Amino acid sequence: LQGPLQVRRVAGFLPVHWPPMTSARPHARRALFPGTFDPPTSGHLALIRRGLALFDEIVVGVATHPTKQALFSAAERLDLLERSVAGLE
């Protein structure tokens, strides 16, 4: 990958843009990658990296499971993912 990734939080979702989105690309190809990411793994990051080669935007949705005890809170998982994708530049 080349150049910086653009990351922003939106209520439990972590949109990852490559290259950074511009108003000149209103019809960008987008993908949704939902999961619990408890914890985020190198496999998750590999799928994000692969997806960035195919899509203009990947929205990573951090979910909670109502019957499972999570190791990390949703906020902690978002933090972990945000720091992890920053290394994908």
Side-chain angles (χ1 to χ4, degrees):
L1 301 175
Q2 302 171 355
L5 289 172
Q6 186 180 68
V7 177
R8 62 185 165 87
R9 285 188 186 201
V10 181
F13 291 93
L14 185 67
V16 179
H17 306 287
W18 176 256
M21 299 296 288
T22 65
S23 58
R25 295 173 36 214
H27 301 293
R29 296 170 301 153
R30 293 180 178 91
L32 175 62
F33 181 23
T36 56
F37 304 101
D38 191 32
T41 66
S42 58
H44 295 131
L45 296 178
L47 289 173
I48 292 170
R49 187 178 289 113
R50 286 174 164 180
L52 290 171
L54 300 171
F55 298 97
D56 299 313
E57 178 181 31
I58 297 177
V59 177
V60 179
V62 177
T64 57
H65 194 285
T67 63
K68 291 185 180 178
Q69 179 65 38
L71 182 62
F72 296 101
S73 71
E76 290 171 320
R77 290 179 276 151
L78 276 169
D79 265 347
L80 290 167
L81 277 165
E82 190 172 47
R83 286 186 281 167
S84 297
V85 298
L88 294 180
E89 296 181 14

